[in-house]
Amino acid sequence: MTKTFLARLTAVAAPFVLALGLGSAPQLAGAQTPAAPQAAASAAAAATPAPVAVPEKPAAPVAAPAATAKVDNPYGVGALWSQSDAVAKAVLAILAIMSMGSWYVIVTKLLEQMRMGRQARAVDNEFWNAGTVQAGTARLAEGSPFRFIADAGMQATQKHDGLRGKVDFADFVDLCIHRATERVQRRLGNGMSLLATVGSTAPFVGLFGTVWGIYHALTAIGVAGQASIDKVAGPVGEALIMTAIGLAVAVPAVLGYNWLLRRNITVMDDVREFSGELHSVILAGSAAA
């Protein structure tokens, strides 16, 4: 009976125990629900690796403006001199000597002509206003071509003796004065032949240097086996500089020669005029004596 009573009591109480368990289940679930996301978040945070700190790159320095480098001209006269052989250097030296010689002649002859022009004006103011030929000659400057001619005329009057005395006096005086005049003309023409020589030969000397330079340039190109424009232009251009230098030497020499020759004619006109008048004055003085 006792077992039957306990079985009935358990059957009656089971629904109440089940109902009580179902009612308390949501509360336990609600109490555990908020904790679940926090735990999941904590686990995710622990699983996520911490970001590695990347060191900052230093700022790139601002590029300073590149300084302009002075580049030597590899195809100039300096390169031609430094890279040339003995023959090319000899040609350049000859052209330099010819140029210096021609300019020296041009400057010195120009100064000489200007000095003779001043002396010709002094003759008009001093010589012809003197009382005698001796007094007029003493007034002229030392080294003056006019004084040289006047001295020659005066010496002709003193040397007209012996075998010279057999020559007519007028002819002998004219001969002495003419000889002195020719010496003045030859002295005035000194250096003119140098200008003519430089003007006629300098272009050919430069051309010889050009041919020699081109020959060596083509030989070097053939040995190197490269015939590009940069390999040909430099050596050939350097060789052509020789021709340009030759022309630069010849042109001033030719122009100076023609200019000085014309001025010599003007100066010699004054000298010959003085010689003719001096001859007449000496003959007149001798006739009066």
Side-chain angles (χ1 to χ4, degrees), residues 267-279:
V267 173
M268 286 306 301
D269 287 342
D270 296 335
V271 173
R272 291 191 178 92
E273 181 180 351
F274 172 77
S275 300
E277 294 178 357
L278 177 65
H279 178 258

Side-chain angles (χ1 to χ4, degrees), residues 221-247:
I221 292 171
V223 171
Q226 297 178 357
S228 58
I229 188 62
D230 57 336
K231 299 296 182 181
V232 176
V236 174
E238 292 175 2
L240 292 177
I241 293 178
M242 292 286 194
T243 301
I245 296 176
L247 294 176

Side-chain angles (χ1 to χ4, degrees), residues 20-49:
L20 181 62
L22 292 176
S24 60
Q27 293 179 358
L28 295 175
Q32 295 178 356
T33 301
Q38 294 179 359
S42 300
T48 303

Side-chain angles (χ1 to χ4, degrees), residues 44-65:
T48 303
V52 180
V54 179
E56 296 182 357
K57 294 183 179 180
V62 180

